[in-house]
């Protein structure tokens, strides 16, 4: 298991790196599929945030879903302790769910192109092919290291994830693993792009996108936005 420790806006002393390795050594016992752990330490310079000046984010990469936990405290050691506790709790919860619903509502990633129309896939050479085609005739310009098409808007961060369609309960489960307030997925029953999100307390909401030609032809400002 590889453990990578890096700092953002701060230096990471060797003593702390060794402490991280000792704290995370038992993680592999909770998840035998773990490949690597990325630990990012950052520093908040605002004196008003002195009690939460040090933040530690742990990302567990494995052959299963990504699991993430983060915490902030007055020093990096305290933040690490809280983040590790969160990570262990999520791993135990994941192990418990695997025993009750192993593989339910999932399909192999290799079958995604057969289920989702227009999905990209890997060819025999390991190259990504298919997927949405790039528009033609759109002017492109460089802004720093970014490539901007047309007039923008300027995209400062973009991520693409390979994902198999899943059931709603699986999406909620994976949202809890990464500790986010929302999770984007393709519903395995309806094949619709969907988002689950956390509401007040322990309530959750779900938004489904339905392609409607009538909405696409409606005048600008007539609707089509998403509201919770």
């Amino acid at each position: 298991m590889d453990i990578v420790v890096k700092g953002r806006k701060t230096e990471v002393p060797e003593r702390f790196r060794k402490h991280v390795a000792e704290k995370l050594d038992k993680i592999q016992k909770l998840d035998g599929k773990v490949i690597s752990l990325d630990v990012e330490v950052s520093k908040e310079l605002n004196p008003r945030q002195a009690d939460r000046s040090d933040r530690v984010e742990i990302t567990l990469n494995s052959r299963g879903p990504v699991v993430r936990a983060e915490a902030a405290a007055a020093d990096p050691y305290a933040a690490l302790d809280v983040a590790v506790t969160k990570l262990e709790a999520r791993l135990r919860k994941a192990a418990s769910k695997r025993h009750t619903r192993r593989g339910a509502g999932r399909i192999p990633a290799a079958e995604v192109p057969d289920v989702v129309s227009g999905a990209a896939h890997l060819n025999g050479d390991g190259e990504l092919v298919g997927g949405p085609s790039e528009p033609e005739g759109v002017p492109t310009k460089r802004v720093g290291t970014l490539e901007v098409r047309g007039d923008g808007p300027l995209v400062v961060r973009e991520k693409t994830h390979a994902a198999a369609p899943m059931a709603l309960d699986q999406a909620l489960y994976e949202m809890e693993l990464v500790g986010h307030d929302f999770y984007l997925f393709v519903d395995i029953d309806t094949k619709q792009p969907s988002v689950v999100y956390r509401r007040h307390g322990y309530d959750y909401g779900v938004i489904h996108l339905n392609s409607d030609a009538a909405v696409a032809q409606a005048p600008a400002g007539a609707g089509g936005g998403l509201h919770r």
Side-chain angles (χ1 to χ4, degrees):
M1 179 180 69
D2 294 328
I3 300 177
V4 179
V5 183
K6 60 183 179 181
R8 182 162 60 89
K9 299 181 182 178
T10 185
E11 293 291 331
V12 181
E14 188 61 29
R15 176 188 172 193
F16 184 76
R17 293 178 185 273
K18 292 180 179 179
H19 182 69
V20 169
E22 293 171 359
K23 291 285 292 185
L24 296 179
D25 183 59
K26 58 183 176 180
I27 293 297
Q28 198 162 25
K29 298 177 182 178
L30 297 175
D31 187 348
K33 297 180 180 180
V34 60
I35 298 172
S36 65
L37 286 161
D38 295 329
V39 181
E40 182 177 276
V41 184
S42 58
K43 186 80 172 179
E44 172 57 60
L45 302 179
N46 187 343
R48 296 182 179 180
Q49 301 289 331
D51 59 335
R52 298 171 58 84
S53 60
D54 291 274
R55 177 174 295 275
V56 173
E57 179 179 306
I58 306 172
T59 302
L60 183 150
N61 303 294
S62 71
R63 294 189 294 275
V66 172
V67 186
R68 184 176 291 111
E70 63 179 275
D75 67 80
Y77 291 90
L80 177 66
D81 287 344
V82 177
V84 170
T85 299
K86 289 182 179 180
L87 185 68
E88 290 175 345
R90 286 168 186 164
L91 289 175
R92 291 192 178 95
K93 185 176 180 180
S96 176
K97 287 211 170 188
R98 279 197 298 269
H99 287 299
T100 57
R101 51 183 304 278
R102 189 178 299 273
R106 304 292 299 274
I107 66 171
E111 298 179 13
V112 172
D114 298 329
V115 178
V116 182
S117 177
H121 62 280
L122 295 176
N123 62 16
D125 298 325
E127 299 174 335
L128 193 64
V129 297
S133 59
E134 292 289 337
E136 297 182 0
V138 178
T140 302
K141 61 182 178 181
R142 302 287 299 185
V143 179
T145 59
L146 299 176
E147 183 178 273
V148 181
R149 293 183 175 276
D151 296 327
L154 178 63
V155 177
V156 296
R157 189 174 188 182
E158 181 178 354
K159 288 185 177 181
T160 301
H161 297 278
M166 63 182 67
L168 176 59
D169 61 339
Q170 179 68 23
L172 289 169
Y173 163 63
E174 298 207 11
M175 180 181 73
E176 294 292 347
L177 285 180
V178 296
H180 287 174
D181 292 328
F182 69 93
Y183 193 83
L184 176 65
F185 70 106
V186 176
D187 192 293
I188 195 169
D189 296 320
T190 65
K191 307 302 182 292
Q192 293 174 315
S194 307
V195 173
V196 290
Y197 60 93
R198 194 187 312 277
R199 291 174 59 85
H200 304 293
Y202 294 98
D203 292 337
Y204 299 96
V206 59
I207 298 172
H208 299 288
L209 289 183
N210 184 29
S211 180
D212 191 328
V215 173
Q217 295 172 4
L226 292 178
H227 302 279
R228 298 198 300 186

